[in-house]
Amino acid sequence: MWRWISIALIVVLVGGGVFAGITINNTVTELDELKAEYNVLQSNYHSLQSDYNSLHSDYSELQGRMSELQNSYNKLEAENENLHRLLEQYEKVPHDYYSIGAFQYHNNTYSELSKFLTLQFVLPRGYKVNVFDCSESAAYLEWALENAGFDAYIAVGPTPWDPDSGYHAWVIVYTTDYKVAIEATALTGGYKFLSLFLFRTPGVVYKNDLLISGWENYYEGYDHLYKNIYQYIRAHGSIEECNWWEGYWGFT
């Protein structure tokens, strides 16, 4: 009897071992399949990660280009607004400003300049702060000189006779003979008659001038020379300091 029991036990154990072997083999197979799937998924992940990094790099590049384009647009927009403001100021300057023919034409020589300032030129009104001061009178003189055929510039810089007191405007004329500095405000009333009494051209700044101090600064102490009223507008962004023609004859 014990013999049959032993044989049965052996059969059970052998059968169980075979079953266990089959289960282990199945588990190993499933594990291998899972590893293969994992490797595929990991490969796909790395591929997607690479695609993501590439797309992120492209996005960053596009973002940078967009920022550059936005900055360029903002710059152009600012320039456009500035040009629009300048155009508005230009339009305030009378039409045919430098070709109105208000004065007889002269040769661009010092003798003709002296004749013009002595016999023909008169400021349209007396000096008045913030109404017709150095900037308006200098602009008027530059306009008149250009209309009369002279090569004139508006000079702006520290006040020649007292550089620490602020800024001033006067006129520089380049004749075929000389570079001539002219104090426009000295072409009024008493200054003009005193110049004539001393046999000097009114307004002209002479070396070691007794009437107008700081003569060296008139010739070399300016910060800017403006060829015309339009250069002045571009530099200052406004015509308000030089709009001498408002209310003056011939202009509105």
Side-chain angles (χ1 to χ4, degrees):
M1 177 178 180
W2 289 105
R3 179 183 177 188
W4 291 109
I5 292 173
S6 298
I7 292 171
L9 182 60
I10 290 170
V11 170
V12 170
L13 290 173
V14 170
V18 171
F19 177 77
I22 292 171
T23 301
I24 290 172
N25 289 335
N26 291 338
T27 301
V28 169
T29 300
E30 291 178 359
L31 181 60
D32 290 339
E33 291 175 352
L34 289 173
K35 285 181 177 180
E37 290 180 7
Y38 171 78
N39 290 333
V40 171
L41 290 173
Q42 191 174 42
S43 177
N44 291 337
Y45 169 78
H46 289 311
S47 178
L48 290 173
Q49 186 70 28
S50 177
D51 292 341
Y52 169 80
N53 291 336
S54 178
L55 289 172
H56 184 70
S57 176
D58 291 343
Y59 172 79
S60 298
E61 182 180 351
L62 289 173
Q63 194 76 0
R65 289 175 61 189
M66 186 178 75
S67 297
E68 291 177 359
L69 289 173
Q70 185 66 46
N71 291 335
S72 297
Y73 172 80
N74 293 339
K75 183 178 179 180
L76 290 172
E77 186 71 14
E79 290 177 355
N80 183 60
E81 291 179 1
N82 184 52
L83 289 173
H84 182 70
R85 286 193 295 270
L86 286 177
L87 180 60
E88 289 180 340
Q89 296 299 311
Y90 288 162
E91 289 176 343
K92 293 180 180 180
V93 178
H95 183 61
D96 294 334
Y97 185 72
Y98 285 110
S99 58
I100 193 172
F103 299 93
Q104 177 186 351
Y105 183 82
H106 293 260
N107 292 324
N108 187 34
T109 64
Y110 179 75
S111 62
E112 287 293 300
L113 174 65
S114 180
K115 183 190 299 182
F116 177 75
L117 293 175
T118 302
L119 302 176
Q120 299 175 18
F121 180 79
V122 178
L123 284 175
R125 60 159 300 159
Y127 180 92
K128 186 175 182 180
V129 177
N130 297 326
V131 176
F132 198 84
D133 53 23
C134 66
S135 54
E136 283 86 5
S137 59
Y140 177 85
L141 177 59
E142 184 269 339
W143 166 79
L145 289 168
E146 286 288 339
N147 268 272
F150 298 101
D151 186 18
Y153 295 74
I154 300 172
V156 176
T159 304
W161 61 89
D162 186 7
D164 294 329
S165 66
Y167 265 59
H168 188 62
W170 62 98
V171 172
I172 297 290
V173 180
Y174 289 92
T175 69
T176 56
D177 311 288
Y178 306 104
K179 174 183 178 181
V180 184
I182 305 173
E183 173 54 63
T185 62
L187 287 164
T188 57
Y191 283 106
K192 184 169 184 176
F193 287 117
L194 186 56
S195 296
L196 294 173
F197 179 78
L198 294 173
F199 299 100
R200 290 190 169 184
T201 301
V204 171
V205 181
Y206 292 87
K207 183 177 180 180
N208 299 321
D209 203 311
L210 297 177
L211 300 179
I212 305 173
S213 59
W215 70 271
E216 304 99 326
N217 294 329
Y218 276 99
Y219 284 91
E220 303 298 339
Y222 48 81
D223 289 340
H224 304 284
L225 276 182
Y226 302 113
K227 173 60 182 171
N228 51 49
I229 198 73
Y230 303 104
Q231 282 190 359
Y232 180 93
I233 293 174
R234 284 199 296 272
H236 295 266
S238 173
I239 193 58
E240 296 305 317
E241 290 294 320
C242 291
N243 56 345
W244 58 265
W245 54 83
E246 290 194 2
Y248 178 61
W249 56 268
F251 291 128
T252 57

